[in-house]
Amino acid sequence: MIQQIGDPLVHMVRNAVDHGIEPLDARRAAGKSDSGNVTLSAFHSGGNIVVEITDDGKGLDPNALIKKAIEKGIVQPGERLSDEQAYNLIFAPGFSTAEVVTGVSGRGVGMDVVRRNIENLRGKCDIVSTLGKGSTFSIRLPLTLAIIDGMLLRVGSERFIIQTIAVEQALRPKPGQITTVQHSGAVLNVRGRLIPLVPLGPLFQLGEYVDPCNAMVVIAQYASGEIGLVVDELLGQQQVVIKSLGERFEGLRGISGAAILGDGRVGLILDVLGISLAYRDSQISACGSRSNPLAMSSDGSPIDPVLCGESPMAAHDTNAMQLT
């Protein structure tokens, strides 16, 4: 873990020095000390290791981030983002607020690479910032890379696992909470937040569309947002040992691994970000008119082995998955 987290930490500390700490005249004008401070700390929190990089610099300006994102085509004009969503724009591929690439921070490497390295360790990065006062980047990593706490879900006759750290809540929605947005599908209104609903049955070709009001919705978070996963049933929580799916399923969006459950069957581990991207890109496109949205590599190019005419679970049913 130390070897894999080293480069992201160095990159983030360099960013804090180069982009976070203001020039001397700006610090004096703001009534700050001449010397900027960047603090690196680490501690245990529950079943996680938390590493924080804190600076007393200028902080992140949400409006400036959104403006830059619109210029780069990452955000559509008029799209409303919360401060947290604006902060997470810095993790978008190709996004940078720097006018000149320096030898101190990026060296041309983006924060998307940093986030990818953290997510490869099944971690997440949160940002808290106050304009004019500074920022804190928190990296949260599991204490072990082999065992996760998961919530067991049933979709059709199959079972899936989602990390409990990604789950905000689970609920059975009422009809008044469900609305349909043009070109975006169904959304769930939870305390004023509109959360896109993703029916896992059709997405994984395990069944027809199910009315969310007759099912369960698991609200799951990822780096830059949240989605509502429509599932048939919640089966409870358990710790599982992560297994690799092997080269055949490398790049399969929406699935990060698998685990052998108590009855000896295989449960696939869900990747929330991958599911969100696949559903957004495809809106459950029919197989034949477009490639199955799950059969895509991380750069959006199709991968060969799995899916037209056959769901990822078909290989599961025939014991084709080679878990390592």
Side-chain angles (χ1 to χ4, degrees):
M1 180 187 290
I2 292 174
Q3 291 177 340
Q4 295 185 61
I5 201 64
D7 287 343
L9 280 178
V10 170
H11 187 101
M12 295 174 76
V13 170
R14 286 174 177 267
N15 268 0
V17 173
D18 200 23
H19 301 309
I21 303 299
E22 314 96 315
L24 180 59
D25 56 347
R27 291 187 64 84
R28 288 176 175 174
K32 299 181 180 179
S33 62
D34 290 354
S35 300
N37 297 296
V38 177
T39 304
L40 179 65
S41 58
F43 54 91
H44 286 174
S45 177
N48 300 281
I49 298 170
V50 180
V51 181
E52 290 187 343
I53 302 98
T54 302
D55 67 73
D56 66 345
K58 59 187 177 184
L60 297 175
D61 184 348
N63 294 326
L65 294 173
I66 293 171
K67 180 180 178 181
K68 194 72 172 182
I70 292 174
E71 292 175 3
K72 291 183 172 290
I74 299 172
V75 173
Q76 297 300 315
E79 186 175 347
R80 300 182 64 181
L81 300 179
S82 66
D83 287 352
E84 182 179 357
Q85 290 172 321
Y87 298 153
N88 280 306
L89 289 171
I90 68 174
F91 295 115
F95 186 89
S96 175
T97 57
E99 299 297 330
V100 179
V101 174
T102 73
V104 176
S105 58
R107 304 176 307 286
V109 178
M111 286 291 286
D112 60 312
V113 177
V114 172
R115 184 177 69 177
R116 190 179 311 125
N117 287 349
I118 293 171
E119 289 179 346
N120 286 342
L121 295 172
R122 303 200 324 278
K124 59 183 296 188
C125 184
D126 297 318
I127 304 172
V128 176
S129 184
T130 302
L131 189 60
K133 294 187 177 181
S135 305
T136 297
F137 289 74
S138 300
I139 301 172
R140 188 175 295 271
L141 300 166
L143 283 172
T144 172
L145 297 182
I147 300 175
I148 63 168
D149 290 315
M151 180 176 289
L152 200 59
L153 317 173
R154 182 179 66 81
V155 180
S157 61
E158 302 297 338
R159 288 173 293 178
F160 295 88
I161 301 158
I162 182 172
Q163 293 188 60
T164 54
I165 193 174
V167 176
E168 178 184 327
Q169 69 177 106
L171 72 159
R172 188 183 299 275
K174 299 177 181 178
Q177 293 179 278
I178 307 293
T179 56
T180 300
V181 177
Q182 188 175 13
H183 306 304
S184 298
V187 295
L188 173 65
N189 189 329
V190 179
R191 296 183 293 276
R193 292 151 44 212
L194 295 180
I195 301 172
L197 290 177
V198 178
L200 289 187
L203 185 66
F204 287 107
Q205 302 178 25
L206 291 172
E208 300 298 324
Y209 177 82
V210 177
D211 184 349
C213 299
N214 297 325
M216 292 295 297
V217 173
V218 177
I219 299 177
Q221 299 176 326
Y222 56 97
S224 58
E226 55 190 354
I227 56 176
L229 304 176
V230 182
V231 303
D232 293 321
E233 186 181 2
L234 303 183
L235 300 177
Q237 293 181 328
Q238 68 179 77
Q239 287 190 329
V240 296
V241 178
I242 295 178
K243 301 287 186 178
S244 169
L245 292 177
E247 294 183 0
R248 182 184 179 190
F249 294 95
E250 185 176 355
L252 184 63
R253 289 201 298 186
I255 302 296
S256 61
I260 300 175
L261 304 176
D263 60 0
R265 296 178 63 191
V266 173
L268 295 178
I269 299 172
L270 299 177
D271 170 27
V272 179
L273 175 60
I275 289 174
S276 173
L277 293 174
Y279 186 70
R280 181 196 65 188
D281 292 347
S282 70
Q283 291 294 285
I284 316 299
S285 294
C287 196
S289 60
R290 288 178 57 184
S291 298
N292 187 292
L294 297 172
M296 294 284 182
S297 62
S298 58
D299 62 3
S301 59
I303 61 174
D304 176 53
V306 201
L307 282 167
C308 258
E310 150 177 56
S311 79
M313 302 311 301
H316 174 180
D317 294 338
T318 57
N319 295 316
M321 289 185 178
Q322 299 298 316
L323 301 185
T324 59

